Amino acid sequence: VSRHHIGTPPNFAPGNRAKLMAEDSHKVISAIRNRRWTVEGDTAWILYDGYLKKAPDKIGFYVAERITLEKGLIHEILVADITLPK
C-alpha cells in the first residue's frame, strides 16, 4: 500500500501498511466527521472534516482522498488536498 500526496509518486514498499497503522495522527486529531463518499468500481473518493484536539468543537481542516483497491485490498491512498478553514 502507498499513501502519498498528489504530485508525489507512490511508494509501494514492504512494511507500509504497518507504518500507516502506527501513525501518530491520533495524538492531534480528535475526530473525523461529515464523511462524503463517492464510489465507482475499485475507486473511492472521500471528503471529510477533521477536528483537532486543541479545538475539538470547530473544524480544523478539510481533506479529500482517493482510495483504490486491488484484489479487494486497499492499494493506494492519494491525498488530493488538505485545506484549512478560512
Side-chain angles (χ1 to χ4, degrees), residues 29 31-36 47-51 59-63:
I29 298 173
I32 299 296
R33 296 189 182 119
N34 196 23
R35 293 173 184 90
R36 287 127 8 234
L47 309 172
Y48 56 86
D49 305 338
Y51 292 78
I59 298 171
F61 58 93
Y62 304 100
V63 177

Side-chain angles (χ1 to χ4, degrees), residues 1-64:
V1 67
S2 175
R3 184 174 191 265
H4 60 100
H5 291 265
I6 196 165
T8 62
N11 177 24
F12 299 103
N16 278 357
R17 180 185 177 277
K19 288 178 191 174
L20 284 172
M21 300 299 289
E23 279 185 357
D24 287 337
S25 59
H26 62 276
K27 292 181 180 179
V28 295
I29 298 173
S30 66
I32 299 296
R33 296 189 182 119
N34 196 23
R35 293 173 184 90
R36 287 127 8 234
W37 288 92
T38 300
V39 179
E40 184 173 336
D42 288 339
T43 302
W45 281 92
I46 182 169
L47 309 172
Y48 56 86
D49 305 338
Y51 292 78
L52 301 172
K53 288 185 178 183
K54 66 181 181 180
D57 295 329
K58 67 178 187 174
I59 298 171
F61 58 93
Y62 304 100
V63 177

